[in-house]
Amino acid sequence: MQCREVRDLADSFLSEQLLVETNHEVLRHLEGCPACRAEFASLRDLRRAVRRAFINSQALRISDEFRDSLAAHVREAARHKTPRRIVRRRWAVGFAVAAILIIVAGVGQFLRTRGIDLIARDAVGDHQNCAVQFRLGEKPISLEDAAARYDPSFRLLQEMPSDDWNTPIGPVRVVDRHSCVFQGRRFAHIVLQFQGQTVSLLVTGSHGEANASINSTDRVPHLVGLASNDGFQVVSFEIPGHTVFLVGSLEEQQIRQVAQSLSGPLYSRFARG
Amino acid sequence: MASDPRRHHDEQVWAAFEVEVLPHLGGLFRFAMWLEQERDKAEDLVQETMTAALQSFHRFRTGTNCRAWLISILRHIRSNRQRASTRLSLVTDPGDRIADTVPFVPPVPQQLTDEEVLAALRRIPPQYQEIIVLCDVEEMTYKEIADALGVPVGTVMSRLHRGRALLRAELSQPSQGEGERWHSAGS
């Protein structure tokens, strides 16, 4: 190993992240190279100095009073309040949503939106577990594979949207395209970068009722903003045979702008088949 | 007398939460305090994080990485708060450009006070600060950090490398003033 290679591995070596074989190679080099030994010692000192500074800092230390009160607060929430409060809140939100929808759009529209809302939860879960945390149980597959095995329409998403496009509030870039599964629901998943944030474009098969009214090839879909789950904003729209979700941590208006720029072209493309 | 099943369930949730989550409270607070720089704000952030963690604890799988899970919740809550309180646009990784121009890594002076180290760390861009804190102070693995920050392991490695180079550069030269050069606003 040359000095340059060894120094490139210095951070990983000191963090004990190297494979055993590589670790041995580095150690062998260090035995015979005083300059690299000095460099590694300097880096090790730096790490120790940072850790020591943090550990010694009274300003950064949690107070006993706060620790105790927080533990008591959380325990109280766990024992008496949180589970029931969450249930009540969810029911409350459900009733509120239902009431508004009944007034505004009638029972039929309510049932349709409620169906989307259920799928939206899966879409948020997929965004969180695939695009943000990379911890899906099942490995994602290519859109081409997914098109051959599950949904031929996913093939349309291999090139659409394009890798870069503009919205009125900034450019959007595609960083990944694949198909993944969350809670048994398969999505075509296009990971976007927009305003420094990760946004997921998720397309999944919709139930017949949700698309019953769609029969024109030039219709501009109606965007539906859904209640955020875990701090995520969701905007949904329907295209032939599918429901589309945009999920991210941006504000709803920003997500809506991205959705607006996609909805018409996606609708037309899926309508043509 | 038959016990209340709901109460029994609540006790079980608390017992699991106490074992899995509470041991990380000190490190979580230290990280929050570093980010927020004000005790009241850090305490609010940690409390909200713990409440959110409790509410979604049913989704946490025992034996997986609890510390990374907590930090990802904390960062998410913090970024939501920042979005609510400011409309400033984020600069795209400004440190990348700066780090690319660092010509060499100078040696670290031998005699450094804790205050000098912390002040130097404050002067580098925040995305490098948090990686260094999570790796060197909290001693998290690259994988844990990647999980917590929602970035690839390769990004963790490159940021750590650049961050340490920037930190060494800061420590090897006199302080450039009282104020910090970078605020921990971006994440």
Side-chain angles (χ1 to χ4, degrees):
Chain A
M1 254 186 178
Q2 301 299 309
C3 290
R4 186 179 179 83
E5 292 173 84
V6 169
R7 292 187 188 198
D8 283 345
L9 295 172
D11 290 308
S12 299
F13 176 83
L14 293 171
S15 302
E16 299 175 3
Q17 304 275 309
L18 291 178
L19 296 172
V20 175
E21 296 82 4
T22 316
N23 210 54
H24 285 317
E25 284 187 57
V26 172
L27 285 169
R28 271 199 297 276
H29 178 92
L30 291 178
E31 281 174 16
C33 181
C36 285
R37 271 207 307 276
E39 168 71 9
F40 274 50
S42 180
L43 266 176
R44 187 179 286 115
D45 289 346
L46 178 64
R47 293 193 67 194
R48 285 177 180 159
V50 171
R51 180 166 169 74
R52 187 187 61 226
F54 268 79
I55 301 300
N56 289 345
S57 171
Q58 283 291 338
L60 296 172
R61 194 171 298 167
I62 190 169
S63 69
D64 291 341
E65 184 186 3
F66 175 64
R67 184 192 291 273
D68 293 345
S69 70
L70 180 60
H73 169 83
V74 177
R75 176 165 206 167
E76 184 67 15
R79 289 179 64 189
H80 300 297
K81 296 176 182 171
T82 305
R84 271 162 264 173
R85 190 176 64 200
I86 291 167
V87 171
R88 279 204 300 271
R89 278 184 181 171
R90 284 178 181 165
W91 276 106
V93 170
F95 282 128
V97 169
I100 292 166
L101 290 173
I102 288 167
I103 292 165
V104 173
V107 176
Q109 180 68 15
F110 161 65
L111 291 172
R112 173 179 169 278
T113 306
R114 183 166 172 267
I116 294 172
D117 187 46
L118 293 174
I119 307 171
R121 289 185 201 173
D122 291 343
V124 170
D126 193 278
H127 169 74
Q128 192 169 16
N129 287 281
C130 181
V132 178
Q133 296 280 354
F134 311 107
R135 61 180 182 199
L136 282 181
E138 189 177 324
K139 194 177 172 188
I141 60 175
S142 70
L143 285 175
E144 190 172 358
D145 271 1
R149 290 157 62 184
Y150 305 109
D151 185 340
S153 300
F154 284 2
R155 194 166 282 116
L156 303 175
L157 296 164
Q158 286 180 289
E159 293 180 352
M160 185 181 189
S162 60
D163 287 344
D164 295 278
W165 81 93
N166 285 309
T167 72
I169 55 170
V172 185
R173 185 165 59 88
V174 172
V175 294
D176 192 33
R177 298 170 196 261
H178 62 257
S179 173
C180 49
V181 176
F182 185 77
Q183 299 287 351
R185 175 166 288 277
R186 178 160 292 281
F187 293 96
H189 189 178
I190 307 200
V191 184
L192 311 172
Q193 276 291 316
F194 179 62
Q195 301 202 344
Q197 298 278 327
T198 300
V199 176
S200 286
L201 165 64
L202 293 149
V203 181
T204 189
S206 55
H207 300 297
E209 289 173 13
N211 273 267
S213 62
I214 297 177
N215 52 21
S216 163
T217 55
D218 57 359
R219 180 176 147 168
V220 176
H222 174 65
L223 303 184
V224 180
L226 298 165
S228 62
N229 296 286
D230 301 332
F232 293 107
Q233 295 296 333
V234 186
V235 171
S236 168
F237 59 90
E238 296 289 332
I239 57 177
H242 297 80
T243 305
V244 181
F245 296 93
L246 280 127
V247 186
S249 302
L250 296 164
E251 290 178 11
E252 188 193 334
Q253 277 306 316
Q254 294 171 301
I255 302 273
R256 196 172 272 272
Q257 288 279 359
V258 180
Q260 195 83 49
S261 69
L262 281 170
S263 58
L266 271 182
Y267 184 92
S268 302
R269 188 66 190 87
F270 272 70
R272 288 200 306 275
Chain B
M1 191 171 67
S3 63
D4 178 355
R6 178 179 282 174
R7 182 171 184 139
H8 179 64
H9 174 261
D10 292 346
E11 287 292 349
Q12 283 185 321
V13 169
W14 168 250
F17 192 80
E18 192 172 26
V19 169
E20 291 283 348
V21 176
L22 291 194
H24 302 295
L25 196 51
L28 196 67
F29 181 83
R30 190 160 47 214
F31 185 61
M33 189 65 201
W34 177 256
L35 296 175
E36 296 288 3
Q37 302 184 51
E38 290 179 35
R39 188 163 286 272
D40 286 350
K41 285 185 180 175
E43 289 182 350
D44 280 352
L45 180 58
V46 170
Q47 179 164 335
E48 198 173 334
T49 301
M50 298 303 272
T51 304
L54 180 65
Q55 287 177 351
S56 53
F57 191 57
H58 60 283
R59 288 185 300 184
F60 175 75
R61 280 172 296 177
T62 305
T64 58
N65 191 342
C66 186
R67 188 165 47 166
W69 179 63
L70 289 170
I71 285 175
S72 73
I73 294 173
L74 183 145
R75 289 181 84 254
H76 191 72
I77 290 170
R78 184 167 183 266
S79 64
N80 279 347
R81 285 181 173 188
Q82 286 177 331
R83 266 196 301 280
S85 63
T86 178
R87 300 288 301 175
L88 291 177
S89 59
L90 295 174
V91 178
T92 307
D93 216 4
D96 284 354
R97 296 193 298 273
I98 293 167
D100 286 342
T101 65
V102 173
F104 80 108
V105 182
V108 180
Q110 288 296 310
Q111 302 297 327
L112 286 169
T113 66
D114 292 346
E115 290 71 25
E116 285 171 329
V117 173
L118 295 179
L121 188 59
R122 279 264 179 248
R123 292 197 295 271
I124 70 173
Q127 66 268 39
Y128 300 123
Q129 292 179 25
E130 68 180 356
I131 293 270
I132 288 174
V133 172
L134 294 177
C135 183
D136 292 352
V137 181
E138 303 306 330
E139 299 185 317
M140 291 169 69
T141 65
Y142 291 172
K143 176 71 170 60
E144 286 177 319
I145 297 171
D147 286 346
L149 305 188
V151 298
V153 170
T155 303
V156 173
M157 293 167 72
S158 62
R159 284 190 187 174
L160 187 62
H161 184 73
R162 290 175 181 181
R164 283 181 179 153
L166 287 167
L167 180 57
R168 291 172 79 175
E170 287 293 342
L171 285 167
S172 67
Q173 62 192 23
S175 173
Q176 305 236 333
E178 294 301 315
E180 63 192 50
R181 205 170 300 158
W182 299 92
H183 299 279
S184 302
S187 53

